[in-house]
Amino acid sequence: MRSLWRAVDPVTARSILVVCAADGIVGFAFAAITVGADLPLWLPTLLSIVVFAGASQFLLVGVIASGGSLLAAVAAGLLVNARLLPLGLAVGDAVGRGTWRTLIGSHVLTDESAAFALIQPSGERRRAAFWLCGIALFLFWNVGVVAGALVGTTIPDTDALGLDAAFPAIILALVLPTLRSARIGRAVAVGVAIALVTAPFLPAGVPVLLALLGVVVGLPPRRASTPATPALEPSGSPE
Amino acid sequence: MSSVTIGLLVAAGVLAVGTIALRLAGVLLRARIVPSERVQELLDTGVAVLFCALIATSALIEAQEFVGWARPLGVAVGGVLAWRRAPFVVVVIAAAAVAAILRLLGLP
């Protein structure tokens, strides 16, 4: 852990701490809400250790607390976690090799740890940023959850604190530097449009996956010698 | 153990196994491939699209409905600050503070 702190630059380390602090408070609220809904004390702690994916934990507890079936609750949680597969594909190189490394590294793969890895150049700093964020977040999240389960008789109003705006802002600040080409911009515009249009009708998690269709319009050119498509030829239109 | 307890344990267990399977699938797949420059570019684009869609939906929509103006305005202020290269701490605190103050003023 100490060597990880040394391997990332101080600015990144501070940013990771900020994310951990914000998520720790959200974890506290998650546990307080769960216990407040008359669910057992051990449930938020167990979920936070073995699932460790905030949005799916909130969904699972929310569906159960509102009287939904366990099957629906698990399905909702899995759908919202489906994005972890493409995230793992994109930043899996930051995890490293070896059975334990792969298992633990995969478990601490979250939006935040993936985003911190993403903004680092490849190599040692990318690995360090991923692991530092992943491990620190696991610790802060679980400390927050245990505290919330034990003392959370009053549920902190995370909306009144504006913490619901913090998560999108965190990811936005991390992803902005990667939006550097017009091609990526086009793909993002189409993807966001798909997600927003479908979100009112589809379960949480699915619109974000559908957004990946936007990648099609951001495809890099295959080869410099690839002939232009007929539609782009000025004389190609038969009309 | 009551049936309620067993049900909750099974639900937590299935969600945990499913989630680690999703995470491992991506990471293991990545370990099997040495992406060409073109594929790497595709992966970078994909993760940018995924994150931006996540930002947009989590800023605007909850339980399939519009969340109100306070949250997206807070995120927008954070976004502008990030674009102007403000420190990360400032971005996060400003986003939360704007949403909190707008709610204090009565905006949902």
Side-chain angles (χ1 to χ4, degrees), chain A residues 18-147:
Chain A
V18 173
V19 172
C20 287
D23 280 3
I25 301 173
V26 175
F28 186 99
F30 164 71
I33 288 167
T34 306
V35 176
D38 281 335
L39 288 163
L41 214 71
W42 52 263
L43 184 63
T45 314
L46 177 70
L47 286 172
S48 297
I49 291 171
V50 302
V51 178
F52 187 51
S56 68
Q57 295 177 218
F58 271 105
L59 264 176
L60 182 89
V61 164
V63 172
I64 295 173
S66 62
S69 73
L70 290 176
L71 191 66
V74 172
L78 285 176
L79 270 182
V80 84
N81 283 345
R83 71 178 185 290
L84 292 167
L85 196 160
L87 278 185
L89 191 58
V91 302
D93 58 304
V95 171
R97 297 294 169 97
T99 307
W100 285 109
R101 200 170 264 269
T102 302
L103 266 178
I104 298 170
S106 297
H107 191 56
V108 298
L109 171 71
T110 60
D111 296 313
E112 292 89 340
S113 59
F116 271 107
L118 193 69
I119 56 167
Q120 301 291 332
S122 54
E124 194 48 47
R125 286 177 65 178
R126 184 171 162 99
R127 264 196 297 279
F130 171 82
W131 278 95
L132 184 64
C133 181
I135 294 172
L137 205 56
F138 187 82
L139 295 175
F140 273 71
W141 176 254
N142 278 292
V143 166
V145 166
V146 168

Side-chain angles (χ1 to χ4, degrees), chain A residues 52 159 164 183 202 220, chain B residues 19 23 38 41 64 71 103:
Chain A
F52 187 51
D159 277 7
D164 57 323
R183 236 187 352 248
L202 296 174
Chain B
T19 302
R23 283 171 160 142
R38 190 176 142 85
E41 212 170 329
Q64 300 174 336
R71 189 194 296 178
R103 288 191 179 118

